[in-house]
Amino acid sequence: MTSLTPTPQNETALRQAIVQHCQRLASAGLTQGTSGNISARCAQGDEAGLLISPSGVDYDEMRPESLAWMRMDGEWSGPLKPSSEWRFHRDIYACRPEAGAVVHAHPTHATALAVQREAIPAFHYMVAVAGGYDIRCAPYATYGTEELSRNALAALVDRRACLLANHGLIAIGADLRRAFALAVEVEALAHQYLLARATGTPTILDIAEMNRVLEKFKSYGANAQTAG
């Protein structure tokens, strides 16, 4: 897949966009209550960092000023504590220069597979939208820990999305729109895969076919990250 360059944005507009996407999590079927979190790469002056949703705040009550700004060393500023999952957000930006935004959520169907610690195989060609032949499931680790971050980074090698065992999903993108759209797509794929398994044995596409799809996705439409 082609590499994606993060899109720089005005911090005020970026704060507003993060809040808007957080408030869409439930209606998009990606989360319940206050679970899940969203971040975006954001420098302040010459200091690299990220904006991230706060911990345990009702999305309807979240405001742009509620977000925490975090430096890459983990120091943060803001009126509220950053999400307890800040570590893998920060580590993704440190390791993946093409990532401009990260969406983490606990959608029903992706989580149903994650609690079985299963990847989503190439039962449908759209699995390639995450960047490879499957959507891996990272091994379990306690939320918010360095171990979970390491596991997630390994599952995201050459991928833009993964499941987290007994937890949920992560999707990354060049910007919030693409990261959010990918999270929605992964949840839809998980739902389809579970339905296919419930009614029979899904046929898995072979690597040669997925290679063809991955190559076609490089130049599909105006946005090389998505296809249909």
Side-chain angles (χ1 to χ4, degrees), residues 42 50 70 102 129 174 211:
C42 179
L50 61 137
M70 178 173 286
V102 176
V129 77
N211 278 333

Side-chain angles (χ1 to χ4, degrees), residues 1 126 129 160 177-178 181-182 217 220-221 223-228:
M1 304 286 283
M126 280 298 290
V129 77
R160 287 190 291 272
R177 178 183 63 82
R178 295 184 211 187
L182 180 56
F217 274 18
Y220 182 89
N223 181 352
Q225 185 178 358
T226 59

Side-chain angles (χ1 to χ4, degrees), residues 19-162:
V19 171
Q20 290 167 357
H21 282 81
C22 284
Q23 292 173 342
R24 289 178 53 205
L25 283 168
S27 63
L30 290 177
T31 200
Q32 307 82 37
T34 62
S35 66
N37 32 78
I38 295 178
S39 71
R41 190 187 295 273
C42 179
Q44 289 190 348
D46 294 331
E47 187 79 53
L50 61 137
L51 288 167
I52 188 166
S53 54
S55 178
V57 174
D58 188 307
Y59 291 126
D60 289 336
E61 298 176 0
M62 190 179 296
R63 298 292 180 266
E65 59 270 20
S66 305
L67 305 181
W69 183 78
M70 178 173 286
R71 300 190 326 197
M72 298 305 287
D73 63 5
E75 293 294 318
W76 61 275
S77 60
L80 300 170
K81 291 192 305 181
S83 166
S84 58
E85 300 290 17
W86 64 266
R87 189 179 299 276
F88 66 64
H89 287 262
R90 187 275 311 271
D91 292 349
I92 287 169
Y93 295 125
C95 294
R96 300 288 294 268
E98 80 278 16
V102 176
V103 173
H104 167 56
H106 305 163
T108 299
H109 302 94
T111 303
L113 282 173
V115 299
Q116 298 181 60
R117 306 189 177 189
E118 293 189 33
I120 303 176
F123 78 102
H124 191 290
Y125 75 88
M126 280 298 290
V127 166
V129 77
Y133 310 127
D134 60 3
I135 299 171
R136 303 183 186 108
C137 183
Y140 179 77
T142 304
Y143 78 93
T145 61
E146 184 177 351
E147 182 183 8
L148 177 61
S149 182
R150 288 197 304 268
N151 292 349
L153 289 174
L156 286 167
V157 170
D158 298 323
R159 301 288 190 274
R160 287 190 291 272
C162 71

